[in-house]
Amino acid sequence: MTRTFRGALAALALAAPLLTMTPAEAAAPVFRSCDALTAKWPNGVAKGPAAAAKAVRDGYSRPATTKLAVQVYWQNDGMLDRDKDGTACEN
Ligand SMILES: [Ca+2]
């Protein structure tokens, strides 16, 4: 019983990264700085339309919300969305 449980846990641990990362997310580029990100998306990237609207209300230019831009947001949010308002590299 215990042995089976450990085996199940090990299998789950191996499968977990596959469940949380889709190939599309894995392909979203990582940017080391906002200078690098805004070279491609001058107004930054938002996690979705609501976050983009908030950025505009806050006085920024509208950030990108294309599918790739949203993936880039989630790929880089820890580093580049320091105020955690849903837009990385707003300006
Ligand atoms: Ca932000």
Side-chain angles (χ1 to χ4, degrees), residues 80-90:
L80 300 178
D81 184 14
R82 295 208 170 111
D83 60 358
K84 298 294 175 198
D85 64 352
T87 298
C89 305
E90 60 270 49

Side-chain angles (χ1 to χ4, degrees), residues 3 5 13 15 19 22 24 36 38 43-44 55-57 59 70 72 76 85 90-91:
R3 189 174 209 162
F5 183 68
L19 296 174
T22 65
T38 56
N43 299 333
V56 172
R57 281 197 308 276
V70 170
V72 166
N76 295 277
D85 64 352
E90 60 270 49
N91 63 59

Side-chain angles (χ1 to χ4, degrees), residues 3-66:
R3 189 174 209 162
T4 304
F5 183 68
R6 280 192 188 149
L9 275 183
L12 193 62
L14 288 173
L18 299 175
L19 296 174
T20 56
M21 182 179 284
T22 65
E25 286 171 333
V30 173
F31 291 91
R32 295 176 61 92
S33 68
C34 279
D35 283 347
L37 189 147
T38 56
K40 183 163 176 63
W41 290 280
N43 299 333
V45 294
K47 66 180 179 182
K54 180 189 185 317
V56 172
R57 281 197 308 276
D58 290 349
Y60 298 103
S61 301
R62 180 170 290 276
T65 55
T66 62

